[in-house]
Amino acid sequence: MNSAQAIMFLKNNQPFTKDTEEKFEVIKKYNDVRVHFLNHPDPQCIPLFLNSFGEGSGFGVYQLIEDVLMKYSIEQVVPHLITALHSEHIGVRYWCAHIAASFPTPSLITPLSNLLSDPDPDIRCAAVTALSQIEDDRIIGLFKGVLEKETDPDVLEHIQEALTEPKLTSLTPK
């Protein structure tokens, strides 16, 4: 496999469909593409990986995509991440919110805060985790505002835990 073939594979799978046994062979090829870009970095793959996530775990491969993205600078990844966090696809929003935790920058506050009202509580939890990694005093006020409206017990617990993290407790809220 060369980079052009790997890019074409990713372009043809935007995003993947929900995990099914029939998709297992395709996910194995997806993993081969992931390994290719680990060994042969090419920034063209960044937006393609960020928009490739379907519903499910990709048979364990989705969580490994972050390793590829970590090969690139925050300046290379974040603009594409911001776009992907607005995706209509639940799998893309979910996995990109997880990936955002590894790229903590204030420019992600707005797209991640929008996910705090996502219908899916797992996406809300992932957004809380990512936001809690950003050292910005606006995060505390944001979390306190969400605490007043949130009804899901897991999300509430996640926010309360985040508010006790040393990274946030050292900040002064605006």
Side-chain angles (χ1 to χ4, degrees):
M1 173 182 312
N2 62 37
S3 290
Q5 292 167 323
I7 291 288
M8 188 55 64
F9 175 83
L10 289 173
K11 283 181 178 179
N12 290 333
N13 291 285
Q14 295 288 299
F16 279 101
T17 57
K18 191 173 184 170
D19 290 352
T20 62
E21 290 302 317
E22 296 81 36
K23 294 292 180 187
F24 187 72
E25 290 303 316
V26 176
I27 292 293
K28 280 175 43 180
K29 182 159 184 173
Y30 182 63
N31 189 53
D32 293 342
V33 168
R34 178 191 68 82
V35 170
H36 172 82
F37 285 118
L38 271 174
N39 296 316
H40 306 93
D42 182 340
Q44 289 183 81
C45 77
I46 297 169
L48 296 170
F49 273 124
L50 290 173
N51 289 288
S52 66
F53 303 112
E55 288 185 52
S57 69
F59 297 98
V61 178
Y62 290 163
Q63 51 263 48
L64 302 175
I65 299 305
E66 186 173 348
D67 296 339
V68 176
L69 298 171
M70 294 303 293
K71 296 238 176 219
Y72 303 97
S73 70
I74 201 165
E75 293 81 14
Q76 289 174 295
V77 175
V78 168
H80 300 294
L81 192 53
I82 288 170
T83 301
L85 288 168
H86 290 94
S87 176
E88 66 185 53
H89 302 285
I90 191 171
V92 171
R93 290 192 316 275
Y94 174 77
W95 287 104
C96 286
H98 277 284
I99 289 167
S102 294
F103 296 92
T105 177
S107 62
L108 289 174
I109 292 174
T110 298
L112 287 168
S113 66
N114 291 338
L115 293 182
L116 293 174
S117 58
D118 194 277
D120 187 299
D122 292 332
I123 291 175
R124 296 196 305 273
C125 282
V128 168
T129 298
L131 285 163
S132 71
Q133 300 306 304
I134 301 170
E135 291 185 35
D136 189 294
D137 54 8
R138 295 175 287 175
I139 303 298
I140 295 171
L142 183 63
F143 283 168
K144 287 183 177 180
V146 172
L147 278 175
E148 296 172 8
K149 299 179 279 185
E150 182 60 57
T151 58
D152 186 277
D154 292 332
V155 179
L156 286 167
E157 181 180 347
H158 216 64
I159 293 169
Q160 289 163 340
E161 286 174 10
L163 285 168
T164 64
E165 288 184 22
K167 200 177 276 190
L168 290 182
T169 56
S170 66
L171 300 173
T172 306
K174 282 186 179 172

